[in-house]
Amino acid sequence: MAVTAVAGAEARPIPRLRRLEDERWLALALLMPTAILLGLFIAYPFFEGVLLSLTSQRVGVPGEFVGLKNFVKIWNDSIFRTTVWNTFWYTGVTTVFKLALGLWLAMLLNRHFKGKALVRAFILLPFIIPTVLSTFAWKWMFDPTFSVINWALFHLGLITQRINWLGDPDLAMTSIIVVNIWRGVPFFAISLLAGLQTISPELNEAAAIDGARPWNRFWYVTWPLLLPVTMVVMLFSVIQTFADFQLVYVMTGGGPANATHLFATYAYQLGIGTGLLSEGAAISLAMFPFLFIIVVVQLLYIRRVETR
């Protein structure tokens, strides 16, 4: 019985698929979905905000083109100047304390002890709990009538009358700083702990054999190797803290007497609360140059540290 073999013609690749063999076309095809999403949800709202800030639009009123009039108006606003100071003070103080406490916790969690995994999971709870939920709990703790903090200080003999934590401008600012530090320390601790895990213990052992004390081993061995990770963590923390909204809005709403406003809360109050959409957009955009400069400086420093 004869068997005839029929040689089939080799299937030629589709011209469109043949382009994907080129790395440039493949990279473009893979990046296109991300570029479209970024354009729709970030670039488009940003440019719409720029156009809105250059008009006199209000809720229900289209408005006209006014140029930089809104920016001049908010710059002459005393509340806006207070907002700028509050934002920088809030971001600076919280970042320093979160770094110090997070590094201290990371050094402790890097040791070997029983229940280490459970403790690490427990440390993450403040960061995992939804911001609004945990902030409501803190707001109740700072309440002058039902405050557990006032109750504890009274029974310790440190105070003789109730403290209105959120009713005093200075105490209100201190309160939101404390809550932000409480929420941010776990992020620093776990991130820095991951960085510590990458450092070889042999380096510290060699330094100890040479007679270096614990502080010297940390300053000359651990810290230089941990610095790149630290700068990246600080960069994300500064961006998130600078544009913080939920925590301040839930606790104080920018009060008392507009004393705790940040860029985001003041922009929301003007844009949504009073209907001045164009001025609210101008305040939101005023945050961009400050944040852009901070991020660029940090990125340049990170690059400098990594190239050492």
Side-chain angles (χ1 to χ4, degrees):
M1 181 177 180
V3 180
T4 57
V6 180
E10 295 183 359
R12 296 180 180 180
I14 303 174
R16 295 179 181 178
L17 297 179
R18 188 185 304 172
R19 291 182 179 180
L20 296 180
E21 297 178 0
D22 188 346
E23 293 183 357
R24 293 173 298 179
W25 285 101
L26 179 61
L28 181 62
L30 294 176
L31 290 175
M32 188 59 67
T34 303
I36 293 175
L37 291 176
L38 291 177
L40 289 176
F41 297 105
I42 295 181
Y44 175 73
F46 176 78
F47 286 111
E48 282 292 322
V50 173
L51 295 177
L52 183 62
S53 66
L54 301 177
T55 65
S56 59
Q57 184 172 345
R58 300 185 179 185
V59 175
V61 180
E64 300 177 351
F65 180 80
V66 296
L68 301 177
K69 184 178 179 180
N70 291 322
F71 294 94
V72 175
K73 184 177 181 180
I74 63 173
W75 184 255
N76 295 324
D77 184 5
S78 60
I79 300 177
F80 176 76
R81 292 195 294 269
T82 302
T83 298
V84 175
W85 165 253
N86 287 344
T87 304
F88 277 93
W89 176 253
Y90 176 75
T91 304
V93 173
T94 55
T95 301
V96 170
F97 276 92
K98 284 186 289 189
L99 174 61
L101 295 176
L103 181 59
W104 174 66
L105 275 177
M107 298 291 290
L108 291 179
L109 295 175
N110 198 37
R111 298 173 178 268
H112 296 285
F113 55 89
K114 293 183 178 181
K116 179 172 59 177
L118 182 62
V119 173
R120 290 178 179 178
F122 183 77
I123 289 294
L124 280 174
L125 282 179
F127 190 71
I128 296 174
I129 298 175
T131 304
V132 175
L133 181 61
S134 61
T135 305
F136 267 117
W138 276 99
K139 187 176 183 180
W140 174 81
M141 292 172 63
F142 284 120
D143 185 88
T145 304
F146 305 102
S147 174
V148 66
I149 299 176
N150 283 345
W151 179 85
L153 294 176
F154 179 80
H155 283 77
L156 291 174
L158 299 178
I159 60 174
T160 57
Q161 58 183 1
R162 297 170 181 172
I163 299 177
N164 189 5
W165 296 95
L166 302 181
D168 181 84
D170 295 330
L171 292 178
M173 196 67 194
T174 303
S175 301
I176 63 175
I177 287 175
V178 169
V179 178
N180 184 276
I181 293 173
W182 173 80
R183 280 193 55 84
V185 165
F187 172 70
F188 273 78
I190 296 301
S191 301
L192 295 178
L193 176 61
L196 290 173
Q197 295 289 321
T198 63
I199 300 176
S200 176
E202 297 177 356
L203 297 175
N204 282 295
E205 294 174 0
I209 294 174
D210 291 337
R213 296 184 177 181
W215 170 253
N216 292 330
R217 295 200 300 269
F218 169 78
W219 186 252
Y220 293 105
V221 178
T222 304
W223 179 246
L225 297 174
L226 192 62
L227 189 56
V229 177
T230 304
M231 295 305 302
V232 173
V233 174
M234 288 184 61
L235 175 63
F236 283 104
S237 176
V238 167
I239 294 174
Q240 186 177 6
T241 307
F242 202 87
D244 197 2
F245 173 79
Q246 298 181 72
L247 191 152
V248 180
Y249 184 76
V250 172
M251 285 199 67
T252 64
N258 299 312
T260 59
H261 267 309
L262 305 182
F263 276 109
T265 57
Y266 192 42
Y268 179 84
Q269 177 176 306
L270 275 184
I272 306 300
T274 63
L276 301 175
L277 298 178
S278 57
E279 294 184 21
I283 294 174
S284 299
L285 288 174
M287 172 175 54
F288 179 75
F290 295 112
L291 190 58
F292 179 78
I293 294 173
I294 293 174
V295 171
V296 169
V297 171
Q298 284 193 292
L299 288 176
L300 291 176
Y301 186 76
I302 291 173
R303 183 176 181 182
R304 181 182 176 185
V305 169
E306 291 178 346
T307 55
R308 286 181 180 177

